[in-house]
Amino acid sequence: MKLTDNVLRSFRVAKVFRENSDKINCFDFSSNGETVISSSDDDSIVLYDCQEGKPKRTLYSKKYGVDLIRYTHAANTVVYSSNKIDDTIRYLSLHDNKYIRYFPGHSKRVVALSMSPVDDTFISGSLDKTIRLWDLRSPNCQGLMHLQGKPVCSFDPEGLIFAAGVNSEMVKLYDLRSFDKGPFATFKLQYERTCEWTGLKFSNDGKLILVSTNGGTLRVLDAFKGAVLHSFGGYNNSKGVILEASFTPDSQFIMIGSEDGKIHVWNAESGMKVALLDGKHTGPVTCLQFNPKFMTFASACSNMAFWLPTIDD
């Protein structure tokens, strides 16, 4: 089944899960699309089975809190940042609920975490104005970059380069093998005084970069030239909430939630609005991602919703 405008418009909430007492701050699908794991401000980690459509396990990180959870390449391990006590990143085995390793180094809150799509490398960005490069096998930081402002960062789909959005005004591209030489490309965008950049993602085909903000606009850049191809607005975000925006796996569409619980979808190439979907969320849709392998997506406020299409185009 192919994603089309009509298929996207037909998506409806198939299941709602109320496992959390506070907002879900992040979730991540496993690469095979079979599970999704969420982190919440209530200090819990919930693992869902996407095929059976039900929660499988709940773990707690009461002491350190849990944010920005990411699967590693082994389906039963995750890394996540802390939102209490310190700013150490933790590597957890879900199988026996034990920490495998700690990654200390950041001195302020971690605001970006991206796992390499090809190996055990990951990068983190923090309010301490640094990006750190790590390897799951070592607690020592493998590389450190000092920046002029708050960073957002992400690997490209091949895991060869990573992009850093700095100070809400420029995107810098680094070669992973020689990042200490500085960026090989820098794209300067018009500075937006009204909002801050809160996320950066590559499309799966590597051609586009999506920059999300805590305001009412999203930007799509040409990943090679840095030109702004589209700016998307028209969704509600008056309180400066961090709303996750995502590409669909085929790189054809861009989605974001809003503070009124609705999901907005645009065509990435034409920039046309394709769909407005009502998730009946009780609060802002802070997290939103399409399943990498199956025709379903998930959205979250303090509830988690699984969506399915109601037509097969």
Side-chain angles (χ1 to χ4, degrees):
M1 185 169 164
K2 199 165 164 291
L3 257 188
T4 62
D5 293 9
N6 281 340
V7 170
L8 268 167
R9 282 187 205 108
S10 83
F11 269 87
R12 299 291 179 268
V13 174
K15 277 205 169 158
V16 178
F17 305 100
R18 296 177 176 85
E19 304 296 304
N20 297 97
S21 59
D22 206 336
K23 85 163 184 179
I24 294 168
N25 52 40
C26 186
F27 64 71
D28 193 36
F29 282 102
S30 58
S31 56
N32 63 12
E34 290 173 11
T35 62
V36 63
I37 195 156
S38 70
S39 54
S40 166
D41 287 357
D42 65 10
D43 307 331
S44 71
I45 296 167
V46 184
L47 180 67
Y48 297 87
D49 186 314
C50 296
Q51 289 168 307
E52 292 184 22
K54 63 182 189 191
K56 282 207 321 196
R57 282 182 76 195
T58 301
L59 307 171
Y60 292 95
S61 180
K62 291 270 184 217
K63 186 175 176 186
Y64 302 106
V66 54
D67 199 355
L68 299 180
I69 198 158
R70 301 281 184 262
Y71 272 113
T72 67
H73 295 289
N76 57 352
T77 60
V78 291
V79 288
Y80 66 82
S81 64
S82 324
N83 51 22
K84 295 201 282 199
I85 295 192
D86 64 15
D87 303 288
T88 297
I89 297 164
R90 293 181 162 74
Y91 181 21
L92 177 71
S93 165
L94 302 172
H95 165 67
D96 49 8
N97 196 19
K98 286 194 168 63
Y99 292 116
I100 301 166
R101 200 160 281 116
Y102 298 135
F103 304 97
H106 284 301
S107 58
K108 288 187 176 168
R109 195 163 69 89
V110 174
V111 291
L113 196 58
S114 178
M115 192 78 213
S116 162
V118 294
D119 60 24
D120 285 336
T121 312
F122 67 98
I123 50 175
S124 57
S126 160
L127 294 179
D128 63 16
K129 299 182 183 175
T130 65
I131 288 176
R132 287 177 180 263
L133 181 67
W134 310 88
D135 187 301
L136 284 174
R137 295 162 294 193
S138 163
N140 304 320
C141 176
Q142 306 294 303
L144 173 63
M145 271 172 300
H146 292 275
L147 304 158
Q148 289 85 46
K150 177 189 128 174
V152 287
C153 54
S154 181
F155 278 99
D156 82 317
E158 259 101 54
L160 298 173
I161 67 167
F162 63 89
V166 187
N167 216 25
S168 301
E169 62 180 340
M170 60 185 94
V171 176
K172 295 172 181 275
L173 301 182
Y174 295 86
D175 187 314
L176 193 60
R177 291 156 305 195
S178 56
F179 73 90
D180 48 339
K181 295 189 174 68
F184 66 83
T186 298
F187 310 138
K188 196 155 180 356
L189 277 67
Q190 197 176 345
Y191 181 62
E192 294 175 87
R193 280 172 197 79
T194 53
C195 58
E196 280 188 7
W197 294 2
T198 53
L200 183 149
K201 291 183 182 181
F202 280 89
S203 56
N204 275 347
D205 63 9
K207 293 176 181 172
L208 303 172
I209 293 173
L210 177 60
V211 175
S212 45
T213 71
N214 63 358
T217 49
L218 291 175
R219 291 210 182 130
V220 182
L221 315 186
D222 180 311
F224 302 104
K225 302 191 183 89
V228 177
L229 301 175
H230 300 293
S231 289
F232 298 125
Y235 58 92
N236 289 350
N237 190 13
S238 60
K239 297 186 180 73
V241 179
I242 295 174
L243 303 171
E244 182 179 22
S246 293
F247 287 101
T248 51
D250 61 7
S251 309
Q252 301 300 306
F253 300 96
I254 287 160
M255 325 172 65
I256 193 169
S258 62
E259 68 182 5
D260 59 9
K262 293 188 168 60
I263 314 273
H264 298 250
V265 187
W266 295 270
N267 183 301
E269 192 177 5
S270 71
M272 297 292 287
K273 185 84 158 269
V274 171
L276 178 60
L277 306 168
D278 191 354
K280 306 276 193 293
H281 279 287
T282 52
V285 183
T286 43
C287 306
L288 176 68
Q289 281 176 42
F290 216 94
N291 187 303
K293 291 285 185 275
F294 300 105
M295 190 58 81
T296 174
F297 70 85
S299 59
C301 53
S302 57
N303 301 334
M304 172 78 97
F306 284 6
W307 299 67
L308 290 170
T310 51
I311 59 167
D312 34 300
D313 210 10

